[in-house]
Structures are given as C-alpha cells and as structure tokens.
Amino acid sequence: MTVNETWYEAREYSQEQIDRARLILEELRAGLSLRQAVNRHPNPGGGYLPKHVLVFAYRELTAAGEWQEDPQLLEKLRMKPVRTLSGVTTVTVLTKPYPCPGKCIFCPTDARMPKSYLPDEPGAMRALHHEFDPFTQTAARVQALEAIGHPTDKIELLILGGTWSAYTREYQQWFVQRCLEALNGRSAESLAQAQDQNRSAPHRNVGLVIETRPDHIDQDEIIHLRQLGVTKIQMGIQSLDDRILALNHRGHTVEQARMAMRWMRGAGFKIVLHWMPNLLGATLESDRQDFQRLWDDPDMRPDEIKIYPCQLLENAELYAYWQRGEYQPYTTAELIDLITDIKPEIPEFCRVNRIIRDIPSTNVVEGNKRTSLRQDVQRELAQRGERCRCVRCREVRKEQFDPEQLEMQDLPYTTGTSQEHFISYVTPHDRIAGFLRLSLPGEDAPHIGLSGLEGAAIVREVHVYGQSLEVGAESQVAAQHSGLGSSLMDHAENIARGAGYGSMAVIAALGTRAYYEKLGYVLDGTYMVKAL
C-alpha cells in the first residue's frame, strides 16, 4: 500500500443501515438514551445496529454539513471511551522480529515475533496481520479508533517490539518516517520532511515513545533519539539487585540503569520503567525491598512505571528451571498481596501504567493467569481501607469540576542530577485535572550537547486530562480546554526564573510545537525554548 492509495480499509454499509442509523441519531438528539433509541429501531433479521455504524453515519452527516458537530452526541456513541480519557489517543505499532542483545531467561522466544512478544497478544496480532509494516499498522489503527468514535487528531505513537536501540538506525529512521507518513496522509522525501509536514497534519504526533535497555543508553543514543522525535522512553530495569539481574541473565547492571536515567532525565525525556517481581532468585520479601529502591535511590524515581510480574511461559528458558524445581511462580493470592502492600508506597508524581502484561492465560504454564490484577488490587486496597495516590489513580477522567475550585499543588523532589517539581491542578475531591513536570538540572547533570539545553530548566511533560477532543472542540467536563496548560507553564517559568535559569526548554513533540509558539517559545534544535 502506498501513501497515494486510500490509507485505510473503508467499511461498507448498506443504505438501509445508514438510514436506520440516522433514525437512531435523531432519537438521541431528541433526548432518548442510546439503549432506548437502538431498541426502537432493531434490525429486520434480529439484533441491533452496531455502534460503529452510528459513528459512521454521524461523521457522514457532519462532514456533509447537514448537522453541526455535537461532541456530547458523539460521546454517547464512543466505544471504549477509557482509551482516550487520559487526553490523547494512543496508537501502538510493533517493530519487525530482530535479534535482541539480551539473553533474559524469562523472555519468550517466537521466531515470528520481536523478542518478548507472543503472536496472540492483541497488539502483536495486529502487527503480525500487517506484516510489521509501520505505515499500514499506523493507518489501520487510526481508522479503527475513528470507527468507534475516538478523535484521532492528537496521536501518541507507541513503538514497541524488541530493543529499539538494537535495530539499525536506517531501519529506525524509515520506521518513524513511515508512521508519520500514515499520520500525515502523504509521502515525504525524508524523515525531516515528514516531521515538518506533521505540524499541520490531520493526525498530529503529540508524543513518540520507544522501549530500550539501560546498556544501550549513552550520549550518542540520546542525541539520536531526539533527532527521531522521541519524547518518552520505556526502559526495562526489571530489578535493582545485581544478583537477581545476573541470575536471570539480564545483561546489564544497576549502575548502568542509574547512568541511563541520568542521561534520559538530563535530556528532558519522560521516563517509564518496567519492574518485574518474581524473577528467578527473588522472594516476596526481597521484591518488597527491591520496589522500595525505586524511590529510595535518587537516580531512579521514574515518572511512570509498569509492574510486570514474571510469567512462566513454555517457550522461555525459565521453563527448564521450573521443571528442575529451581523456580516457583507466585500464586495469584501472593501477587495480589504483594502489589497491594507496595502500591500505596508509590509517590504522587508517578503513574502506574500497567500491573500485568496482556499475555493470554493459555500461554501461562503455572502461577497467576489473571489479567485483572489491577482491579483485584484495588478491591484489596479498599477492603484494607487504604488507597494508592499515584497519578493514574487520581486522574480526573470524566468527573465534572469547577475550574475556579482547582488548587495548584507543587511537589518538589530531588534526583541524582536535578531538582524536580511535579506541579498539578487538583479538584476538591483530590483528582488531578492537569500536571507539569519541571526539571531544574544541577551541577552533576550530564552535559548532553543538544542545542537549547545549555543553562535551561526543562519542562519534561505537560498533561491536561479529560476526554481527548478534536482540535478546537470544547467540552463542559474536559480540562484540556480550560487554560490549565498555559497556567501550569506560567508557574513553571516563575519557578525556573526564581532559581536563576536563563531559559526554559520544552521537549515538545511535533504536533505540540505550535501550542508552545503561542506561549512565546521558538524552536532551537529539537526543543522549544524561551528566554526567561
């Protein structure tokens, strides 16, 4: 498929379906609930019209100018609204199978997939269907999200697969360029041109995420990742115990993880760490101690974390250890108890993205097979009368609030190389409506050598919550369009100015640069920079 061809597989609906969908939409506009409206117009052969047909008819009516845009009506039609409640629409793509530098005994090996992935995981299945082509993966996912009512003008591109930094740089540049071409709807002669085109594309890139290993992060890699447009890095540390890392043939040390964190934080990246309890040699008690190191060690203290309990899979080397009686997986009850114990310890500046890999239970030989651990842990916390105050547990989501009642809170904390400020707007019910991550590099911060960073404070993330909206749209419940972002930036600039920094640099994604231009920032290298 080329860019000049239709970039998605258009769904075909009969005129009868479209006519029925319009009748249902009229009922919704008249005040009926979705269930009532659909029940009044069943299919002649039985059953009811799927939501995606209603979404198609709605978009057809508004595109033709017959109806005005109605965000509240579209919200009623949207399937799986949680996908975009965090404020952006995430599109996940996978890189091709490629040799991994790691020899981890817990990783599954499947010749059809990049290392550590299985072909029946949801995202992996989509990638395999598209033969790992970045263009068609991106285009098809955007089309699928549009079909179920999600806005797709602000896209966080999440590139998963093997160790990103192990792929050739030619492949990396081609892969990112093709993803951007799918978002832009047109071809480009180079990655730089595709990046420039995305500033005004129909699907703007507001975040670019890759995953890699600590032993692949150095100054040269940091500079290269910025040239690609990467704004967030997921890094698997798995453990902060060198003995455990060695037993599991992880291939890196804790000190390498610390150094990688310094480089990433110094360049302003948002940082997601993967932590894995139940590795070979670990115990429930040692895992509790190891988790605490994430916050006690100043060089750690990640912005986000994924808790991935080790899962025993038949096509992993760990399976042989289990057969010999040298390894025993935790039970589901033990895992729930462990995670319930440690989750309240997570600082308010960190977001827990996931608590288990989305691996189908049929692949798990022994141990926990439940994929609903997050809900299980939340129930256990409630029974104990405790709560987690991580970012994800406090997101405002669909809760309505009065912007006048929001309280700005500033949570400072130190790292090995910086003073960090987690600045947030919080509702009276302790829900986060928006936040900003400000980094004030210290004397020990590494010299990255990137234009725009010299002598600058760094805004590593600005995130305002609420259902992701189309550009220019408004909503009574969405925090995104309440001016919170600019207010957070003003506060961050005042802190940086007061601390003696001469400029502010923002690690802005391609599709957000225009926003920072309105706030007085100009592009310097790969950062948006403003003199203070």
Side-chain angles (χ1 to χ4, degrees):
M1 181 182 295
T2 66
V3 181
N4 294 325
E5 294 175 308
T6 301
W7 61 265
Y8 61 87
E9 299 176 11
R11 291 177 181 265
E12 293 186 2
Y13 303 114
S14 68
Q15 189 58 48
E16 181 184 355
Q17 287 179 305
I18 299 300
D19 291 342
R20 190 177 305 110
R22 291 188 175 205
L23 289 173
I24 293 171
L25 292 173
E26 289 286 5
E27 302 271 30
L28 290 174
R29 294 178 83 188
L32 266 65
S33 70
L34 179 61
R35 180 184 294 274
Q36 290 172 325
V38 169
N39 286 347
R40 289 184 63 170
H41 300 279
N43 293 331
Y48 302 96
L49 207 61
K51 272 189 180 181
H52 56 78
V53 184
L54 300 175
V55 173
F56 178 87
Y58 166 83
R59 294 196 188 281
E60 190 177 63
L61 286 164
T62 55
E66 295 182 47
W67 284 14
Q68 293 290 322
E69 294 278 354
D70 187 344
Q72 280 71 42
L73 177 60
L74 184 58
E75 187 175 343
K76 293 179 181 179
L77 305 177
R78 186 173 292 123
M79 297 169 63
K80 300 181 179 179
V82 70
R83 291 188 186 276
T84 46
L85 272 179
S86 64
V88 297
T89 302
T90 298
V91 168
T92 302
V93 293
L94 262 71
T95 49
K96 67 181 180 181
Y98 194 76
C100 178
K103 306 299 179 186
C104 313
I105 64 172
F106 49 80
C107 261
T109 300
D110 189 306
R112 297 168 292 174
M113 302 302 299
K115 187 73 170 180
S116 89
Y117 285 85
L118 294 171
D120 53 353
E121 293 180 76
M125 289 175 67
R126 293 195 298 267
L128 190 60
H129 172 74
H130 292 284
E131 299 179 328
F132 301 98
D133 180 80
F135 184 95
T136 55
Q137 284 187 77
T138 304
R141 191 63 183 145
V142 169
Q143 190 272 338
L145 288 163
E146 283 187 333
I148 58 176
H150 291 279
T152 58
D153 63 331
K154 293 180 290 185
I155 299 294
E156 179 184 58
L157 192 62
L158 177 55
I159 302 176
L160 302 179
T163 299
W164 173 259
S165 303
Y167 289 82
T168 66
R169 290 192 171 177
E170 291 76 14
Y171 176 79
Q172 294 177 28
Q173 292 166 353
W174 169 80
F175 195 96
V176 173
Q177 180 178 332
R178 289 295 283 163
C179 289
L180 291 177
E181 287 175 346
L183 297 179
N184 298 343
R186 52 177 168 159
S187 61
E189 295 182 359
S190 65
L191 172 60
Q193 185 183 63
Q195 291 172 331
D196 185 62
Q197 290 173 348
N198 190 254
R199 288 171 58 92
S200 57
H203 312 287
R204 299 178 198 172
N205 176 236
V206 298
L208 179 56
V209 192
I210 58 95
E211 57 179 1
T212 191
R213 292 166 50 94
D215 49 333
H216 279 64
I217 293 292
D218 55 21
Q219 182 178 15
D220 181 61
E221 182 67 5
I222 289 293
I223 293 172
H224 172 64
L225 292 176
R226 286 303 298 133
Q227 291 169 343
L228 293 176
V230 174
T231 57
K232 180 189 290 188
I233 298 176
Q234 296 195 46
M235 186 172 74
I237 58 164
Q238 319 309 1
S239 173
L240 290 176
D241 184 327
D242 280 327
R243 182 185 69 87
I244 298 297
L245 292 174
L247 278 174
N248 290 271
H249 299 185
R250 179 62 185 160
H252 66 78
T253 65
V254 174
E255 184 56 31
Q256 286 176 305
R258 290 194 183 102
M259 285 304 303
M261 291 293 288
R262 294 169 191 165
W263 284 115
M264 293 188 295
R265 191 172 275 125
F269 287 104
K270 295 173 280 290
I271 302 169
V272 187
L273 293 186
H274 297 182
W275 180 74
M276 185 173 284
N278 201 191
L279 288 168
L280 177 66
T283 65
L284 289 163
E285 185 53 37
S286 72
D287 277 335
R288 288 182 174 89
Q289 295 172 7
D290 195 64
F291 190 75
Q292 191 58 44
R293 294 186 189 109
L294 284 168
W295 323 112
D296 290 343
D297 188 333
D299 280 323
M300 293 294 123
R301 299 175 182 170
D303 305 313
E304 301 175 14
I305 187 171
K306 289 184 175 180
I307 300 174
Y308 282 158
C310 184
Q311 293 173 285
L312 183 62
L313 309 172
E314 190 171 358
N315 58 349
E317 188 180 343
L318 185 61
Y319 179 72
Y321 287 77
W322 173 73
Q323 286 184 311
R324 294 193 298 266
E326 299 171 18
Y327 174 77
Q328 184 60 43
Y330 298 158
T331 65
T332 298
E334 287 173 328
L335 263 182
I336 292 173
D337 190 54
L338 169 65
I339 299 172
T340 305
D341 285 347
I342 63 178
K343 206 166 185 291
E345 301 171 5
I346 298 169
E348 295 177 24
F349 60 76
C350 183
R351 186 181 195 272
V352 182
N353 293 348
R354 302 199 71 168
I355 287 186
I356 194 166
R357 275 278 297 271
D358 196 12
I359 293 177
S361 60
T362 51
N363 293 290
V364 180
V365 177
E366 185 170 304
N368 174 67
K369 297 186 178 185
R370 289 176 63 83
T371 57
S372 60
L373 276 188
R374 183 188 291 276
Q375 292 85 351
D376 298 333
V377 168
Q378 295 292 46
R379 279 193 294 270
E380 180 64 23
L381 281 169
Q383 290 177 3
R384 295 184 185 184
E386 299 180 63
R387 62 178 296 215
C388 173
R389 302 195 74 246
C390 82
V391 174
R392 190 181 191 278
C393 286
R394 299 172 62 217
E395 293 169 355
V396 70
R397 299 194 170 228
K398 296 183 71 173
E399 179 182 315
Q400 297 190 34
F401 62 89
D402 179 356
E404 297 296 324
Q405 293 185 340
L406 292 176
E407 177 188 357
M408 179 180 282
Q409 298 179 357
D410 182 0
L411 174 63
Y413 61 99
T414 59
T415 73
T417 57
S418 65
Q419 172 79 18
E420 301 286 319
H421 288 262
F422 180 77
I423 308 165
S424 59
Y425 270 116
V426 180
T427 72
H429 296 101
D430 195 37
R431 296 291 183 184
I432 297 175
F435 68 85
L436 180 149
R437 298 186 190 276
L438 171 66
S439 186
L440 304 178
E443 294 181 358
D444 294 332
H447 178 71
I448 307 295
L450 284 167
S451 181
L453 290 185
E454 191 66 34
I458 309 171
V459 171
R460 298 191 298 112
E461 181 175 15
V462 180
H463 199 126
V464 179
Y465 285 102
Q467 177 67 54
S468 180
L469 301 175
E470 303 282 1
V471 170
E474 295 182 356
S475 170
Q476 294 178 344
V477 300
Q480 287 192 348
H481 300 264
S482 304
L484 299 188
S486 58
S487 178
L488 287 166
M489 286 295 296
D490 285 342
H491 190 71
E493 289 171 9
N494 288 334
I495 292 175
R497 191 179 293 111
Y501 290 84
S503 62
M504 180 78 86
V506 184
I507 186 168
L510 304 171
T512 64
R513 289 176 179 174
Y515 170 77
Y516 291 105
E517 285 177 353
K518 294 177 182 178
L519 300 182
Y521 287 74
V522 295
L523 185 63
D524 185 346
T526 61
Y527 296 85
M528 298 300 292
V529 179
K530 178 180 180 179
L532 298 177

